[in-house]
Amino acid sequence: MAKKTIELKQQPRDRTFLVGVELYGEEQLLSMDDSLAELEMLAHTAGLEIVGQAIQRLNRPNPKTFIGSGKVEEIKSLAEEFDAEVILFDDELSPRHQRELERLFGEKMRVLDRTALILDIFAQHAETHEGSLQVELAQYEYRLPRLTRAWTHLARQAGGAGGRAGVGGVGLRGPGEKQLEVDRREIQRRIDFLKTELEKVRAHRERYRARRKKSRIPVVALVGYTNAGKSTLLNSLAKADVYVANQLFATLDPTTRRVELPGGHAALFTDTVGFIQKLPTQLVAAFRATLEEIADAELLLHVIDVTHPNAQAQAEAVHQTLAEIEADHIPILTVLNKIDRFGNPEMANVALENFPDAVAISALKEQGFDELLATITRKLYENYVEVSVELPYEQGALIALFHEQGQVDRVEHTRLGVEIDGRIPGRLLARYRPFEAGDMIEEEVD
Ligand code: GDP
Ligand code: MG
């Protein structure tokens, strides 16, 4: 896997000019400067070299050119001065903006946006077959409405290259309109093919998940902003050899490891892809299946790089994404990571005041692990919660599980199913939630 990093470094670094737009009255998680700093880090991860940047504050985007037409001219001459080959926008450009800007910036400069960049980074880091299929699908769905001469070569290239068509290649110019039409059809065919393939992979995944559920080892999913230290934590906990790198999105696919907990217990810890503000919607859609792994977990560890100046905003972005994928009902344990970077140990306590109920650790230096593991064990095995559920008869497994692992106070058999009042370990709560008394009885929850 280290090989990939080297490949990245060997690519010629395209000289890139950043453009940020601040819309008056629009609430953003990160300030303009912080968002551009993050874009720079993303660009660096994708192998681009930043040579300059410009910001424009607007009431609303220009319908044709996104930024004002005067600003286009200004950026163009700045970019020429800096020999820039890529103009990179911090926001997703509509197909129309993209076309118009490409026309105005001319043959020598390529216009990219944050979404294309993130998709490209994901494509470079896909490790499994499913991951590659998901990113390739997301890339084509993003590209199809934006197909201009700048994109056409990708259609032909990607036929065999599977999601590998990167930022580095975007500049090649394709032939004219006729080829464009052919390319559109080709892309549509590829999209259909990818969807069919993904269905097959998903069916397989379903069978695997069902098997894993039977094993009854609780699943703990690591979630968090990209670069927070999730993979490092999984590594340290499991002494597993998961790829760790100071790059955004170094890991793409969930990796699961068994970890021993105090008291002879065990849990499966699963790493997930990093969240980020303005995560492209195509990606959230493409990754829904992978993110479903999160929805299966009994506990989420929300890893936060507490030394990051934007830790709060990053945490908020994670909560938003969890809500978007409907995983916000799962219990969360907040883990403040990288405390070894505080010169003064008192800082960790200050941080804990901002995040009540969190555990402070250093994933790298393996500090705070005793408390972390004890808290996880407590959350999974010792926290009993009171529930009243109405379980339909076809949920035989859940009925049996309640009797086995819970404490039953009242049972009543009705025409529709079994009503049980009692207490269950907190880790099982997510499974019983859909059947809580008073709720509508849903069919086929899993
Ligand atoms: P992920 O994107 O959340 O999986 O983050 P990684 O585990 O890949 O870590 C990102 C970067 O942060 C790497 O350079 C790690 O070495 C570094 N890192 C992770 N945990 C710690 C920590 O506890 N202390 C310090 N100083 N660095 C850490
Ligand atoms: Mg990672």
Side-chain angles (χ1 to χ4, degrees):
M1 270 183 269
K3 202 177 99 245
K4 270 191 188 142
T5 324
I6 294 163
E7 267 173 27
L8 265 178
K9 282 189 183 132
Q10 282 173 347
Q11 274 176 9
R13 296 198 156 250
D14 289 324
R15 298 172 62 81
T16 302
F17 196 92
L18 306 183
V19 182
V21 165
E22 192 165 12
L23 293 176
Y24 288 115
E26 194 157 284
E27 216 34 71
Q28 290 294 343
L29 278 174
L30 295 188
S31 71
M32 190 74 256
D33 284 348
D34 290 339
S35 191
L36 278 182
E38 188 176 271
L39 185 68
E40 183 166 349
M41 172 88 174
L42 285 166
H44 191 79
T45 302
L48 301 171
E49 182 192 339
I50 310 305
V51 295
Q53 67 174 56
I55 290 176
Q56 187 172 40
R57 292 187 174 77
L58 290 171
N59 285 319
R60 67 189 75 84
N62 183 306
K64 270 174 96 173
T65 49
F66 190 61
I67 49 177
S69 55
K71 197 73 180 175
V72 174
E73 286 310 313
E74 185 191 321
I75 290 173
K76 194 177 170 187
S77 63
L78 271 172
E80 271 163 4
E81 211 172 293
F82 287 119
D83 268 335
E85 303 151 277
V86 175
I87 312 293
L88 176 59
F89 285 77
D90 192 29
D91 296 274
E92 183 168 321
L93 297 170
S94 71
R96 184 182 184 196
H97 289 146
Q98 173 96 34
R99 268 195 304 277
E100 199 59 30
L101 287 166
E102 265 169 17
R103 194 177 65 76
L104 292 171
F105 280 109
E107 291 280 315
K108 287 210 191 70
M109 292 173 206
R110 288 171 279 144
V111 175
L112 286 181
D113 65 11
R114 185 185 181 74
T115 302
L117 187 68
I118 292 178
L119 288 172
D120 186 74
I121 295 172
F122 271 88
Q124 285 177 5
H125 290 103
E127 293 291 337
T128 65
H129 181 52
E130 185 178 17
S132 306
L133 292 174
Q134 285 169 327
V135 186
E136 200 186 338
L137 178 62
Q139 281 186 311
Y140 281 135
E141 293 200 318
Y142 168 79
R143 276 177 200 157
L144 192 57
R146 290 176 177 76
L147 206 61
T148 63
R149 52 213 164 96
W151 297 100
T152 46
H153 78 288
L154 293 168
R156 269 162 283 120
Q157 201 183 62
R164 285 265 150 212
V167 174
V170 177
L172 299 176
R173 302 290 169 166
E177 277 300 315
K178 206 163 170 189
Q179 184 61 47
L180 242 166
E181 202 32 60
V182 175
D183 286 345
R184 271 196 200 107
R185 279 202 302 273
E186 214 174 296
I187 288 190
Q188 192 54 59
R189 260 203 303 278
R190 187 77 190 157
I191 286 177
D192 296 341
F193 168 79
L194 288 167
K195 284 185 173 163
T196 318
E197 280 297 288
L198 273 169
E199 274 315 309
K200 286 185 211 158
V201 178
R202 271 169 204 169
H204 176 80
R205 178 191 280 281
E206 273 308 312
R207 288 195 293 276
Y208 169 77
R209 270 165 70 188
R211 248 203 334 267
R212 197 175 64 188
K213 269 194 170 168
K214 276 207 193 107
S215 79
R216 295 216 179 124
I217 302 179
V219 174
V220 179
L222 278 72
V223 298
Y225 210 74
T226 190
N227 233 39
K230 299 176 294 296
S231 300
T232 307
L233 179 59
L234 188 65
N235 255 341
S236 298
L237 284 175
K239 293 281 181 283
D241 197 21
V242 182
Y243 183 44
V244 181
N246 194 7
Q247 283 186 336
L248 297 178
F249 306 112
T251 40
L252 184 58
D253 302 292
T255 325
T256 304
R257 295 283 181 275
R258 189 191 156 98
V259 175
E260 303 300 324
L261 296 174
H265 296 298
L268 296 178
F269 281 64
T270 178
D271 196 1
T272 67
V273 58
F275 299 167
I276 191 163
Q277 57 133 6
K278 304 181 189 169
L279 193 66
T281 47
Q282 293 91 345
L283 265 184
V284 175
F287 277 88
R288 203 157 276 278
T290 313
L291 295 171
E292 275 166 16
E293 293 276 317
I294 296 176
D296 256 4
E298 271 91 358
L299 178 68
L300 303 181
L301 287 196
H302 179 185
V303 183
I304 296 175
D305 174 357
V306 73
T307 67
H308 197 286
N310 294 317
Q312 292 272 11
Q314 294 185 341
E316 184 47 38
V318 171
H319 286 293
Q320 281 179 11
T321 308
L322 286 175
E324 216 172 301
I325 60 169
E326 289 160 22
D328 48 349
H329 62 284
I330 304 169
I332 295 187
L333 173 60
T334 305
V335 178
L336 306 183
N337 190 29
K338 308 199 186 180
I339 55 164
D340 60 287
R341 294 180 73 190
F342 287 137
N344 177 357
E346 201 30 50
M347 290 289 286
N349 290 327
V350 174
L352 280 167
E353 279 170 21
N354 291 326
F355 295 92
D357 302 323
V359 178
I361 64 156
S362 163
L364 198 65
K365 302 272 158 68
E366 304 188 17
Q367 290 164 1
F369 278 22
D370 287 349
E371 193 192 337
L372 175 66
L373 293 176
T375 310
I376 293 171
T377 310
R378 201 161 57 238
K379 290 221 175 237
L380 290 179
Y381 289 97
E382 289 162 28
N383 272 0
Y384 278 76
V385 283
E386 254 175 70
V387 286
S388 293
V389 287
E390 298 174 6
L391 297 164
Y393 287 112
E394 61 269 23
Q395 293 293 333
L398 281 184
I399 297 169
L401 188 66
F402 204 126
H403 285 281
E404 225 170 83
Q405 310 233 348
Q407 294 156 356
V408 177
D409 295 334
R410 183 187 72 93
V411 188
E412 197 177 320
H413 295 263
T414 71
R415 193 172 51 83
L416 296 172
V418 188
E419 291 177 16
I420 309 179
D421 296 344
R423 275 160 297 157
I424 51 164
R427 74 192 148 88
L428 297 179
L429 187 59
R431 289 202 214 172
Y432 287 93
R433 269 265 158 82
F435 303 104
E436 274 185 306
D439 285 6
M440 294 259 296
I441 296 179
E442 289 177 33
E443 298 185 26
E444 276 294 318
V445 165
D446 260 314

